[in-house]
Amino acid sequence: MNTHTAVSATVYWTTLDSPLGQLLLTADESGALTSLSVPGQKGGRTAGSVEDGWRADPGPFRAAEAQLAAYFAGELTHFQLELRSSGTEFRQRVWDALDSVPYGETTTYGRIAARIGASRAAVRAVGGAIGANPLLVVRPCHRVIGADGSLTGYAGGLDRKRRLLGLEGVPLAP
């Protein structure tokens, strides 16, 4: 379930080791996942960016931890987590479109723009919204590629994008 409202007063956080490096996860007081960042992520959070008042507590992240482990083991193809993101209405539409891109498949920025009813001229704005995705891996922005099939931009870095697509069995050009 994805919702895009309410900023919570309490922020929980934890870190998880993964094949992509140490992940930083945050959740709101209801336990909804609000961000998942990888080390060195453009615009992402790191353990060093944990803010005063945030509560270190792995409890709210048990389901995310189990599902991420299963995903990285090749045993999970669809996350069943409550997600909550803050963003403009446009970004929310783009993020909802990302959520519908199936495991092991790719789409293009232009197809995402068309899916949300945006013009071809909005492809750059769609790319900006995808780049601002606060929930890497679980909201599959890594499945968006260039119109020519090239691996373009990924806030977590192209090597991680390549690894995630490879894990999902997407054939990649050398």
Side-chain angles (χ1 to χ4, degrees), residues 24-152:
L24 175 68
L25 286 75
T26 62
D28 66 14
E29 61 195 12
S30 74
L33 196 62
T34 56
S35 72
L36 187 159
S37 300
V38 299
Q41 174 183 333
K42 180 181 171 190
R45 297 173 165 162
T46 64
S49 68
V50 169
E51 296 179 20
D52 289 341
W54 286 12
R55 293 187 187 166
D57 182 355
F61 304 97
R62 301 270 187 248
E65 182 177 13
Q67 289 183 41
L68 285 162
Y71 171 80
F72 288 123
E75 301 164 356
L76 181 81
T77 61
H78 183 75
F79 291 96
Q80 297 284 324
L81 298 168
E82 185 175 351
L83 308 176
R84 187 160 294 118
S85 307
S86 295
T88 66
E89 188 268 337
F90 179 81
R91 283 185 174 180
Q92 292 169 7
R93 288 186 6 237
V94 170
W95 296 339
D96 287 343
L98 288 176
D99 290 337
S100 69
V101 180
Y103 179 93
E105 295 183 22
T106 59
T107 191
T108 65
Y109 297 91
R111 284 191 218 129
I112 293 286
R115 184 174 289 162
I116 66 166
S119 69
R120 284 289 301 157
V123 169
R124 184 172 287 240
V126 166
I130 291 170
N133 172 20
L135 290 156
L136 294 193
V137 185
V138 298
R139 177 173 290 136
C141 55
H142 59 275
R143 297 179 188 152
V144 182
I145 60 173
D148 63 358
S150 63
L151 294 187
T152 59

